[in-house]
Amino acid sequence: MQAIIKNSRFAEAQNTLAELTGAFNAATAEEARLLELLAAPADTFNPLEAGLRLLRGEPAQRNDSTGLNRELAQVRERLDTLRPAIEAQRAAVATLVAELSAAVCAEAQPGHAKAVQGVADALASLRAALAAEAAVRAGIEAAGYQCSLEAVAEPELSFADTESAASRLMRDVTRRLEVERLRTGGPVNVRLLVDGTGFGDLGDVVKIDGPDAAHVVALGHGEPTTAKVGKLPRVRESIALVLG
């Protein structure tokens, strides 16, 4: 996968932001310099030194407050222009990152789904292996013997505990696979798991297109079902509210 910094559009957007930020930082430093000069005490006027400075093409007075204030006003005008420009470019970069990220994630979706399926398969194998190990010990006890074989036990990997880490992970990957299946499929019946004015009560069944059903299930607001669609008075409003 190519790094985002190698994307020409992203690189151009970042360079523009860097240029704007650099100009803003330079103007900020110039503002500080001018303020420091204005705050310094004015030089005592010396006619001879003033005349010599004029011959050299320099200002007659070293601290020309009128000229400094004019420069300061110009610098602050640049700052007032650059500040919103930087914010706008940052927003443009963020929008571009979101666009490019969405494209990359969409391309990686099949591979990720396959990897999630691998996790589910591994968990199922682990559950079967733990059950087989427990069955060996249980068989010895069932035959009337005392089992001295040490159990392979880890609380967080216990599938008997519905709230163990293994059980929670199994539910999560199962839900993800179900969501992916729904997203790529056709309309399905979904039992709503939320209440809401205008779309019925908990347990109502509605028919929803695959992508929308996947969204509802992913949010935990519904679950696929083979039950028949309930006769709801406002099915369209129900779907809209559930989808958020």
Side-chain angles (χ1 to χ4, degrees):
M1 181 184 301
Q2 178 179 323
I4 193 171
I5 58 174
K6 294 184 178 180
N7 182 279
S8 60
R9 293 173 60 200
F10 177 79
E12 182 180 354
Q14 280 290 82
N15 288 338
T16 300
L17 179 58
E19 290 177 6
L20 288 170
T21 302
F24 182 84
N25 292 338
T28 300
E30 179 66 8
E31 179 188 38
R33 186 187 71 82
L34 292 170
L35 288 173
E36 183 178 356
L37 289 174
L38 286 169
D43 294 337
T44 302
F45 182 72
N46 184 307
L48 177 57
E49 290 181 1
L52 293 175
R53 281 196 294 271
L54 283 176
L55 291 177
R56 294 194 298 268
E58 300 174 0
Q61 289 179 280
R62 292 188 184 281
N63 191 346
D64 179 10
S65 61
T66 300
L68 291 176
N69 279 307
R70 186 180 302 112
E71 289 183 50
L72 181 61
Q74 293 173 348
V75 168
R76 286 178 169 171
E77 184 178 354
R78 289 204 299 274
L79 289 171
D80 289 340
T81 300
L82 289 168
R83 190 175 291 108
I86 289 172
E87 292 304 315
Q89 185 61 18
R90 283 176 178 165
V93 171
T95 299
L96 179 59
V97 169
E99 175 192 334
L100 296 176
S101 298
V104 168
C105 290
E107 184 178 353
Q109 180 65 35
H112 184 259
K114 183 178 180 180
V116 173
Q117 182 63 61
V119 174
D121 293 342
L123 286 170
S125 296
L126 175 61
R127 181 170 56 187
L130 290 173
E133 185 274 336
V136 171
R137 291 182 289 105
I140 294 174
E141 296 284 350
Y145 300 97
Q146 293 180 342
C147 182
S148 61
L149 301 177
E150 184 178 357
V152 178
E154 170 55 50
E156 286 303 306
L157 295 181
S158 171
F159 289 93
D161 179 2
T162 59
E163 292 307 316
S164 70
S167 294
R168 295 197 308 271
L169 182 57
M170 177 64 90
R171 286 199 300 272
D172 179 59
V173 295
T174 300
R175 178 188 59 80
R176 293 190 187 195
L177 292 170
E178 180 69 7
V179 167
E180 182 61 24
R181 183 186 67 79
L182 292 172
R183 182 179 290 112
T184 57
V188 296
N189 291 357
V190 173
R191 186 184 306 280
L192 302 180
L193 301 178
V194 294
D195 295 331
T197 303
F199 66 87
D201 300 323
L202 174 70
D204 288 333
V205 177
V206 294
K207 195 176 191 65
I208 310 179
D209 288 338
D212 292 337
H215 184 62
V216 171
V217 173
L219 291 175
H221 291 173
E223 60 183 10
T225 180
T226 56
K228 295 182 179 179
V229 175
K231 296 182 179 180
L232 301 178
R234 301 174 63 184
V235 173
R236 291 183 179 178
E237 291 81 350
S238 305
I239 297 174
L241 287 171
V242 172
L243 292 177

